[in-house]
Amino acid sequence: MTVSSKSTIFTTRSMAKIAILGAVAAVLMMFEFPLPIAPSFYKLDFSEVAVLVGGFALGPAAAVAIEALKIILNCLFNGTNTMFVGELSNFVIGCAMCVPAALIYTRNKTKQTALKGLCAGTLFMTVAGVAMNYFVAIPAYVAIAHYPLDAIIGMGAAIFPFIKNTFQLVLACVTPFNLIKGVLVSVITMLLYKHVSPLLHK
């Protein structure tokens, strides 16, 4: 990331765009739904589309700012039922997709590099999702929220009977969940970006 890309997010115009995209992302985050391949507490939303659009137009630092603003607004308006564990995971996993994608795209703004960035971002998000769930989110739910680990694993086993432990749960449920999310978000971003980017470059 160059010095110029860092500084552009602090202009009044850029900060206004970040605020708007953060609000859009927060609204999109409200429309979430589960997938049949994962326990119902894993819900898919398309808020990362707004983050990616902002990252492509304004750079990776803006993507981080939009992602953070999305989480803050969601907590302010909807509160948290995960003691902020879910929100932290959402932020880290979202940045894991959007920051690499924006870094790759802003170096050479072509359709091919956008696609490469989105593919890389999806892979990074999938790896981050596995790491965050295995090392942070699930242990935190058990330790802080006192949610029984056996119950969490049991929800995964109800979908895939071979699941017997946390690692198998994360591998069988979280990995395909994030891959599917990454592909869907990437497709929508590719379809939308060229239509909305002129508004963000004014």
Side-chain angles (χ1 to χ4, degrees), residues 84-94 132-133 136-138 141:
F84 301 105
V85 175
E87 287 75 19
L88 173 63
S89 297
N90 190 292
F91 174 75
V92 172
I93 295 168
M132 283 298 296
N133 277 273
V136 179
I138 293 176
Y141 286 136

Side-chain angles (χ1 to χ4, degrees), residues 29 67-68 70-76 78-94 132 137 141:
M29 193 177 178
E67 188 74 42
K70 175 195 81 172
I71 298 297
I72 292 168
L73 290 173
N74 182 69
C75 289
L76 287 174
N78 297 319
T80 177
N81 56 8
T82 66
M83 302 182 74
F84 301 105
V85 175
E87 287 75 19
L88 173 63
S89 297
N90 190 292
F91 174 75
V92 172
I93 295 168
M132 283 298 296
Y141 286 136

Side-chain angles (χ1 to χ4, degrees), residues 129-153:
V130 169
M132 283 298 296
N133 277 273
Y134 186 77
F135 292 109
V136 179
I138 293 176
Y141 286 136
V142 174
I144 300 173
H146 304 293
Y147 200 89
L149 179 60
D150 289 344
I152 297 173
I153 295 172

